[in-house]
Amino acid sequence: MIWNYKVNILSTDTVERFTSLTNTHYESIIKFIMGDDDEGLIEYLEQLMQALSVTQTIKWETLNIIDKLFIIATIRSICVAPIINVTYKDSNTTEEQTPITCNVELFSVRSSINKEYIQPIICRDDEYNMEIVMHYPTRWNENKLTSYITDITIDGTHISSSGISSDDLYKIVNQLPPQVHVKAVHARETLEESINKMTFLNLESQDPITFIVDELIHFVKILFTENFNNFIELNYVLVKMAKLSLADVMNMTPIDTQLYYKMFMREQKEREKQENSTGDRRSLS
C-alpha cells in the first residue's frame, strides 16, 4: 500500500483518497502555465485528478468546477506547500511603488470554499409540472444558464444534462415558460453569489479578493505559479551534488524535495564551517 491522503468531495459529502503529486506532474503543470495554455492545463489537471484518485469512486463527468477547485487546492496544499506567495497591486499602489507581497494559507482558502459552498437548488413549478435542478457548472470558464442545469423533469420525464448535447439542452431551456426561466436565472445568480463569497485573500486596506466563476482558471494558475529556473535548480542540486538519481527526484513530491534540499544545504554549511575551523587551527599552529 502506498501513502495516500483524504480529500473531501463537497457535492457528495464524502471523503476520497488520493496519492502523491510528484515532481514529474509538477513540471508539466508549470510548463502548461509558462506556455499560457489554459486549455491544455485544465485537460491535464482533469486527467491528473483521476489518475491520483485511489478509491476510483468519483463520477468525474458530473463533478462540478468548485469540487474540482477544492480537490486541486487540497492536492497542492499537501504535496507542494500549504502556503503560496502572492504578489499583487491594490487600488492604492502607484506604478512607481513596489507591488505588495503576502502569503496565502490554503487551509483558509479551502475553509472559505467549504463554508460558502451550497448544494443543488431545485426550481419547481406545479403549473407546468416541471422541475429543474441547478448547480455549479461542470466545465471551466462556462457561465451560460445551461451550464448550471444538471437535471430537468417535465411531466415525469427525467432529462440529465450530461446525457444530451449542449444544443439540445439549449433548445429545451429556450422553450421554458417565462416564470420557470426566471426561477432558473435566480438560481444561477444565487450560485454565482456563493462563488463570489469564497475568499482567496483577505486584505487589510480593502475588500478581500474572492473567486469569480469566469476567472477560476486564473486562480488555479496562481496555485501552481513557480519559477521554472528555481524548480530546475533545486532538482539539479539534489542530483549533481547530493548524488540522488533524477528518477528518484522526479518521483518525489515537491514538498519532500524542498525538505531534502534544505537538509542538504544545512549539511553543506555545517561541513564548510568545520573545514574553515580546521583551516584556522592549522594556520595558528
Side-chain angles (χ1 to χ4, degrees), residues 185-204:
V185 170
H186 179 69
R188 180 185 66 177
E189 292 173 350
T190 301
L191 290 163
E192 286 181 349
E193 288 171 3
S194 72
I195 295 175
N196 295 339
K197 292 178 182 178
M198 297 174 182
T199 302
F200 178 76
L201 176 62
N202 282 307
L203 304 173
E204 294 181 359

Side-chain angles (χ1 to χ4, degrees), residues 11 23 60 112-113 133 135 162 180 183 211 214 273 276:
S11 60
N23 282 322
W60 294 99
S112 180
I113 294 174
V133 181
H135 208 203
S162 61
V180 178
K183 290 180 180 180
F211 291 106
D214 292 332
K273 185 177 180 181
N276 291 335

